[in-house]
Amino acid sequence: VKLTAIFRLFPNACVALAKHIKAGADKYCGGELRWDRTKSPEELESLLRHVFEQVQNPTCVETAQAIAWRAMANLEKLTEVVANGDGLPADLASFLESEGCLDEYVVESGGEIPSSPERYILDAFEWGDTPSGGDFWLDIDDKWEAHIKTQEEV
């Protein structure tokens, strides 16, 4: 399936979503077109809230735009995790792999991943109980935070 299929099937919806994305970039990212995942990570909760708002006001285009955005954000995150195969967001898995600690993280976290990126390492498990120890994971967490800041600037 070609990417253009979505534009052929939903041309008006794509334009409306693009306007919503632009408004969000202006509001949250100084006009820069990027997704700051730290701003609001609870996609499904927000999606449901918007759906309930839409039920109350079924002709509100802005609410429908917010629903589409949240649905796309949730789908993006889900496909990243599934595509990665180990249940981790792709960016986190790549980072941990480069630091040589992906396997230990997967084992120690037991597949439970904190919901917001800045907490992925900090709250994943008790560092002191791991083979590498607390100091190692403190260093990894510091590097991860620096990595996140770098990604936000890109």
Side-chain angles (χ1 to χ4, degrees):
V1 176
K2 293 183 179 181
L3 182 58
T4 56
I6 194 168
F7 299 110
R8 280 189 289 127
L9 292 171
F10 307 105
N12 297 321
C14 288
V15 170
L17 182 57
K19 288 178 181 178
H20 183 76
I21 290 168
K22 172 69 171 114
D26 291 345
K27 184 175 181 179
Y28 297 110
C29 301
E32 183 182 346
L33 188 59
R34 65 182 176 87
W35 179 13
D36 185 349
R37 294 180 181 213
T38 65
K39 296 285 187 196
S40 183
E42 64 289 336
E43 307 307 341
L44 292 177
E45 292 89 347
S46 294
L47 176 64
L48 286 174
R49 179 174 46 83
H50 292 307
V51 168
F52 287 124
E53 291 169 0
Q54 189 79 65
V55 169
Q56 298 299 314
N57 189 357
T59 60
C60 182
V61 173
E62 290 83 7
T63 301
Q65 289 169 314
I67 290 169
W69 163 253
R70 290 299 181 166
M72 295 293 283
N74 183 65
L75 181 59
E76 181 67 22
K77 288 179 178 179
L78 182 61
T79 56
E80 287 173 355
V81 170
V82 170
N84 194 30
D86 55 19
L88 301 180
D91 188 37
L92 175 62
S94 174
F95 169 80
L96 293 171
E97 182 70 35
S98 72
E99 294 295 326
C101 56
L102 175 61
D103 292 340
E104 186 174 347
Y105 182 94
V106 170
V107 169
E108 295 298 330
S109 69
E112 297 294 321
I113 300 147
S115 61
S116 67
E118 65 272 5
R119 313 292 291 185
Y120 281 168
I121 296 171
L122 184 65
D123 293 342
F125 47 84
E126 292 294 324
W127 297 346
D129 298 337
T130 67
S132 295
D135 290 339
F136 172 81
W137 287 105
L138 178 61
D139 183 52
I140 294 297
D141 186 59
D142 289 342
K143 290 177 180 178
W144 174 247
E145 288 183 23
H147 174 78
I148 291 172
K149 287 183 177 142
T150 301
Q151 295 301 315
E152 289 174 4
E153 294 169 1
V154 173

